Amino acid sequence: MTDPTPAGEPPVCSSRGCRAPAAWALRWNNPRLHEPERRKTWLACPAHRGSLGDFLDARGFLRDVTALPGSHTLEA
Ligand SMILES: [Zn+2]
């Protein structure tokens, strides 16, 4: 049983060791590794949206942050 996202289950935060439901999608691109149009996506819970965003932003990788549809934690 290795399906990481069973149907109906909320997506989980990408931060290491965190199992909280994700509320944000951080879209990023590493110009050294990826085509300019390519976007990688990290998912973040409200607690890790800042730290994951800062990690990407400090490296100049962060392109876009969007709230996940269906999130119940949209209040900032
Ligand atoms: Zn988290």
Side-chain angles (χ1 to χ4, degrees):
M1 304 299 274
T2 57
D3 185 353
T5 53
E9 291 292 318
V12 171
C13 178
S14 298
S15 189
R16 184 186 298 268
C18 183
R19 301 295 299 164
W24 299 95
L26 287 73
R27 313 271 288 164
W28 62 277
N29 171 280
N30 180 346
R32 291 187 177 183
L33 298 179
H34 304 131
E35 298 293 322
E37 305 78 20
R38 178 97 175 269
R39 289 293 181 272
K40 303 286 285 183
T41 300
W42 279 358
L43 301 176
C45 69
H48 286 118
R49 181 247 176 278
S51 57
L52 289 175
D54 286 349
F55 178 92
L56 293 170
D57 200 27
R59 287 157 181 78
F61 294 172
L62 190 60
R63 295 296 180 270
D64 198 19
V65 179
T66 55
L68 288 183
S71 170
H72 299 293
T73 53
L74 289 179
E75 69 266 27

